[in-house]
Amino acid sequence: VEGSSGGGMVKLTLQGSGELKGVVVDEELLKPGEGEVLADLIVAAHADAKKKLDAAQAEAMKQVAGPLAGMPGFPKF
């Protein structure tokens, strides 16, 4: 999944395992003095991607569990 922040100035890609596979940074953020902003945007992009990954995994598990999802002894998705 891809997460982004700063209006798309930072984009990163996570695998299904949560492993970071790629980072794209707009060159405007590579100027001197932008380090703190860049760090914040990377953290925000990761949070965005993680949220999307968790939602995709929950949906996949819900489809696998079918009618059993939410029954006693089974996780709720």
Side-chain angles (χ1 to χ4, degrees), residues 48-64:
D48 182 48
K50 180 73 168 107
K51 179 179 162 187
K52 290 175 181 176
L53 178 61
D54 290 346
Q57 289 175 336
E59 182 60 31
M61 291 304 295
K62 184 177 178 182
Q63 290 176 2
V64 169

Side-chain angles (χ1 to χ4, degrees), residues 8-59:
M9 294 183 82
V10 173
K11 297 177 186 175
L12 58 82
T13 305
L14 296 181
Q15 279 190 313
S17 63
E19 180 182 347
L20 180 63
K21 291 303 288 183
V23 177
V24 176
V25 177
D26 187 296
E27 290 186 17
E28 287 294 314
L29 295 172
L30 300 178
K31 294 179 180 177
E34 296 295 325
E36 188 173 334
V37 172
L38 177 57
D40 290 344
L41 290 174
I42 290 171
V43 170
H46 181 270
D48 182 48
K50 180 73 168 107
K51 179 179 162 187
K52 290 175 181 176
L53 178 61
D54 290 346
Q57 289 175 336
E59 182 60 31

